[in-house]
């Protein structure tokens, strides 16, 4: 599988502080790469470096297997669409007129306007002035502008920020559709775990400028392994008995924590404990949620 973006040891210093540190990011072709991290973690700075809007302090970035430099930046970025920060429009012009400006600047054919209006489902609002657009419609127009050059790579920085739940769902559906129907690769940033969980195929988690996790969404889910918690009338003695039987366990608060066990294993330990006159009062199955994992990785709560 081809990699569309590769960053090697990319860092960015603002003033005295390293805001992005030694970042090795890999975005695979056709993936939806969810770039997740708390506010201020360095997501926008990283995306701006990939787009050549900000120069890295050190490290290098390749897009479509070409190292970005000031000479080839424009030719590479012709095939990239982006939505970074709130897009600005001419409010007194219609959605279609705004798109015409971008279409002319990009030098693409006029019929792309109809195509992108169709993709972002703004056909019926094309003749409305943008000043009368809702925030969700403005965001969709922003995506339409990003799509007009028929990009192979789309970079979206927090595209759902400020949208209501219906707008968020529409944006999610739109993002999920693009790789399937048009073969695009997407990088989408967010500080909300559930959002990335619902649309990404791959996840990069950034914390204080460092990439603390990068793998498939499936791999992130596999970190949420199940555990068995047992509470007895004498946990200290119970723990010793379980350990002596060869099973790994530890005390945590009121519970003894064991790895995932089969039903017959649980019945077996329950039997051993009662044979040793230790009353079992609770046996619970506990699955670490994705939120727990995100919290462990970032030290921050899920949505800030
Ligand atoms: P995120 O997108 O994850 O919210 P940013 O990349 O916007 O994070 O910001 C990361 C850090 O870099 C923040 O502390 C921010 O204040 C700082 N920063 C961003 N841009 C600049 C800049 N142009 N000058 C100085 N500091 C900046």
């Amino acid at each position: 599988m081809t990699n569309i973006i590769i960053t090697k040891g990319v860092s960015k210093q603002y003033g005295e502080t390293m805001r992005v540190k030694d970042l090795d990011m890999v975005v695979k072709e056709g993936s939806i790469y969810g770039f997740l991290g708390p506010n201020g973690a360095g997501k926008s700075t990283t995306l701006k470096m990939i787009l050549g809007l900000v120069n890295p302090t050190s490290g290098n970035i390749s897009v479509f297997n070409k190292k970005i430099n000031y000479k080839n930046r424009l030719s590479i970025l012709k095939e990239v669409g982006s939505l970074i920060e709130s897009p600005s429009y001419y409010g007194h012009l219609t959605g279609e007129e705004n798109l015409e400006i971008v279409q002319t600047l990009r030098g693409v054919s006029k019929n792309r306007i109809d195509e992108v209006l169709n993709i972002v489902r703004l056909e019926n609002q094309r003749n409305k002035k943008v000043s009368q657009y809702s925030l969700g419609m403005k965001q969709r127009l922003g995506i339409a502008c990003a799509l007009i050059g028929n990009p192979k790579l789309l970079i979206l920085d927090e595209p759902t920020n400020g949208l209501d739940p219906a707008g968020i769902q529409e944006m999610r559906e739109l993002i999920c559709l693009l790789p399937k129907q048009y073969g695009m690769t997407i990088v989408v940033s967010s500080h909300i775990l559930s959002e990335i969980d619902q649309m990404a195929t791959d996840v990069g988690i950034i914390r204080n400028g460092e990439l603390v996790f990068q793998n498939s969404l499936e791999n992130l889910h596999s970190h949420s392994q199940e555990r068995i918690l047992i509470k007895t009338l004498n946990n200290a003695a119970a723990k010793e008995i379980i350990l002596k039987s060869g099973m790994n366990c530890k005390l945590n608060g009121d519970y003894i924590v064991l790895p995932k066990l089969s039903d017959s294993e649980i019945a077996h330990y329950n039997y051993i404990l009662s044979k040793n006159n230790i009353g079992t009062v609770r046996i619970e199955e506990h699955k670490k949620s994705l939120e727990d994992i995100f919290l462990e990785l970032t030290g921050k709560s899920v949505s800030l």
Side-chain angles (χ1 to χ4, degrees):
M1 183 173 270
T2 319
N3 293 321
I4 295 289
I5 302 174
I6 300 176
T7 78
K8 286 223 172 86
V10 166
S11 300
K12 180 67 191 177
Q13 185 167 355
Y14 280 127
E16 295 289 292
T17 318
M18 276 295 178
R19 295 299 186 184
V20 174
K21 300 168 203 160
D22 213 12
L23 202 90
D24 292 337
M25 187 172 176
V26 177
V27 177
K28 288 180 278 176
E29 184 171 19
S31 63
I32 300 180
Y33 185 101
F35 195 29
L36 184 65
N39 286 325
K43 301 182 295 296
S44 296
T45 306
T46 303
L47 299 182
K48 284 178 189 163
M49 287 193 282
I50 293 169
L51 289 166
L53 300 170
V54 163
N55 282 326
T57 306
S58 56
N60 57 60
I61 299 172
S62 303
V63 177
F64 308 129
N65 276 326
K66 286 178 217 141
K67 225 180 246 183
I68 290 201
N69 55 40
Y70 74 96
K71 274 193 206 146
N72 64 15
R73 187 183 152 252
L74 286 180
S75 71
I76 293 174
L77 294 181
K78 262 194 184 148
E79 307 208 72
V80 182
S82 65
L83 185 62
I84 301 267
E85 286 162 359
S86 311
S88 48
Y89 304 107
Y90 297 102
H92 62 291
L93 300 182
T94 65
E96 182 169 1
E97 287 164 344
N98 271 276
L99 280 170
E100 271 169 17
I101 296 174
V102 184
Q103 170 253 325
T104 312
L105 286 173
R106 283 262 182 180
V108 292
S109 91
K110 217 166 171 160
N111 53 22
R112 266 311 276 166
I113 295 179
D114 288 336
E115 287 168 15
V116 294
L117 280 169
N118 195 313
I119 296 173
V120 302
R121 279 182 262 128
L122 275 180
E123 309 97 321
N124 297 334
Q125 277 85 25
R126 63 196 300 160
N127 295 320
K128 206 181 208 175
K129 281 190 180 161
V130 169
S131 55
Q132 289 158 15
Y133 272 21
S134 69
L135 189 61
M137 283 154 68
K138 281 186 187 156
Q139 283 299 82
R140 279 188 279 149
L141 183 61
I143 298 213
C145 290
L147 290 176
I148 210 153
N150 215 349
K152 287 191 199 143
L153 170 65
L154 190 62
I155 295 185
L156 308 172
D157 192 16
E158 302 256 7
T160 56
N161 245 3
L163 299 186
D164 59 17
I168 291 175
Q169 189 175 342
E170 269 188 20
M171 185 59 69
R172 202 164 52 223
E173 284 168 6
L174 177 58
I175 291 170
C176 289
L177 171 112
L178 295 170
K180 279 183 213 139
Q181 290 206 348
Y182 305 98
M184 264 172 226
T185 304
I186 299 186
V187 177
V188 53
S189 74
S190 175
H191 61 282
I192 301 168
L193 171 67
S194 60
E195 229 173 75
I196 294 297
D197 190 28
Q198 287 176 67
M199 61 183 162
T201 55
D202 295 82
V203 183
I205 300 182
I206 186 169
R207 171 196 187 175
N208 291 333
E210 287 178 60
L211 203 60
V212 291
F213 176 89
Q214 179 170 249
N215 213 314
S216 63
L217 182 70
E218 207 182 322
N219 182 284
L220 183 64
H221 275 273
S222 71
H223 281 64
S224 55
Q225 41 351 22
E226 281 174 29
R227 297 176 302 170
I228 300 295
L229 307 185
I230 301 182
K231 186 176 180 185
T232 69
L233 293 174
N234 185 348
N235 278 352
K239 181 187 147 197
E240 291 312 314
I241 291 165
I242 295 171
L243 282 175
K244 245 186 229 158
S245 78
M247 175 58 69
N248 193 18
C249 70
K250 61 178 184 205
L251 280 180
N252 188 356
D254 285 346
Y255 287 89
I256 308 160
V257 183
L258 291 89
K260 189 182 177 198
L261 300 177
S262 66
D263 287 352
S264 59
E265 283 172 317
I266 293 173
H268 170 69
Y269 285 108
N270 194 22
Y271 170 72
I272 295 184
L273 293 175
S274 80
K275 219 173 77 179
N276 283 277
N277 291 322
I278 297 176
T280 302
V281 287
R282 272 190 182 79
I283 299 178
E284 295 170 14
E285 208 171 55
H286 182 86
K287 195 168 181 183
K288 242 198 243 174
S289 70
L290 221 46
E291 280 81 3
D292 295 334
I293 296 163
F294 182 72
L295 196 67
E296 279 171 19
L297 289 169
T298 65
K300 295 266 174 96
S301 57
V302 171
S303 172
L304 301 170

